[in-house]
Amino acid sequence: EVQLVESGGDLVQPGGSLRLACAASGFTLSSYWMHWVRQAPGKGLVWVSRINSDGSTINYADSVKGRFTISRDNAKNTLYLQMNSLRAEDTAVYYCVRARSAAFEYWGQGALVTVSS
Amino acid sequence: DIQMTQSPSSVSASVGDRVTITCRASQGISTWLAWYQQKPGKAPKLLIYVASTLQSGVPSRFSGSGSGTDFTLTISSLQPEDFATYYCQQANSLPYTFGQGTKLEIK
């Protein structure tokens, strides 16, 4: 069974940093593109970033470029999102997602990041 | 960025009804479109990808169609578990973008 389990969500002050992790099981992480998608409270879905199977291709939404870094450790079956210079507007549930045919096939349960003083 | 516009934003329907949700892209996206269902407090669930391919395990009452800029999601006979919010998403070009969502409520 495919499982994605996010961790690392927390309350952080504006300007602070946080690292999310996504532990993958039930499949070989190294075979898949992976994404982060976020959802602010009561709002819609927003794509954040993607990384290809070996980490050689990475893309970001303009809203997080230069502040967030996506990475992966295939040996540990784990995806990461390092978030720096956090802003109030980054407050959201962050989902780790496995892609298939450019669709988001499997989603984690989400990690809540709250940016507030 | 490609803008995705769903209509309606909300709809009330009864069990057994046929419901259609539309999604329009601001530019052509071929068939690079997916549909998701989200229930409160839960992660989205993939229903349809490449416009009309049913994801494994999704009931056949769900169907998708369209290409270019206009797409539809149809639920042929609503079941109680179908009341949720539905999103379309384009995967033609970065940044991937979603529609604003359609909330399907019980009449």
Side-chain angles (χ1 to χ4, degrees):
Chain A
E1 180 193 5
V2 171
Q3 281 200 313
L4 298 166
V5 179
E6 299 95 338
S7 60
D10 205 347
L11 169 65
V12 61
Q13 291 189 339
S17 297
L18 209 56
R19 187 176 84 156
L20 302 181
C22 171
S25 61
F27 68 101
T28 303
L29 184 68
S30 60
S31 297
Y32 293 89
W33 285 76
M34 297 295 294
H35 299 247
W36 289 96
V37 174
R38 69 184 181 184
Q39 186 170 36
K43 301 298 185 182
L45 300 164
V46 177
W47 174 81
V48 173
S49 180
R50 74 171 184 176
I51 185 169
N52 74 334
S53 56
D54 66 5
S56 60
T57 299
I58 287 173
N59 301 99
Y60 299 98
D62 285 347
S63 59
V64 307
K65 200 173 294 182
R67 301 187 300 122
F68 289 13
T69 302
I70 190 173
S71 63
R72 63 195 298 158
D73 186 334
N74 288 336
K76 294 183 177 179
N77 285 326
T78 304
L79 176 74
Y80 301 99
L81 186 68
Q82 175 68 43
M83 302 183 292
N84 297 332
S85 303
L86 282 161
R87 306 166 180 167
E89 54 265 35
D90 295 318
T91 294
V93 173
Y94 285 75
Y95 294 103
C96 163
V97 187
R98 191 186 94 173
R100 173 196 173 172
S101 297
F104 300 134
E105 185 179 24
Y106 287 100
W107 299 63
Q109 87 287 352
L112 177 62
V113 173
T114 303
V115 184
S116 175
S117 54
Chain B
D1 297 3
I2 297 176
Q3 306 303 314
M4 306 300 293
T5 304
Q6 290 180 231
S7 60
S9 294
S10 64
V11 57
S12 296
S14 301
V15 172
D17 284 353
R18 179 184 181 91
V19 171
T20 297
I21 298 168
T22 66
C23 179
R24 175 164 288 176
S26 61
Q27 63 190 75
I29 60 170
S30 184
T31 56
W32 293 110
L33 185 101
W35 290 97
Y36 303 87
Q37 175 193 69
Q38 187 178 32
K39 296 181 179 179
K42 300 294 187 181
K45 172 187 174 183
L46 176 64
L47 300 175
I48 304 278
Y49 60 100
V50 289
S52 60
T53 301
L54 195 66
Q55 171 69 351
S56 175
V58 173
S60 59
R61 63 181 179 273
F62 291 91
S63 64
S65 65
S67 67
T69 61
D70 295 309
F71 301 86
T72 60
L73 172 70
T74 299
I75 310 172
S76 60
S77 178
L78 275 173
Q79 298 302 301
E81 61 268 29
D82 299 337
F83 293 95
T85 299
Y86 293 83
Y87 293 93
C88 62
Q89 172 245 329
Q90 68 82 16
N92 181 76
S93 62
L94 294 177
Y96 295 152
T97 47
F98 293 83
Q100 81 279 15
T102 295
K103 188 172 185 179
L104 177 52
E105 300 175 301
I106 302 173
K107 183 182 287 185

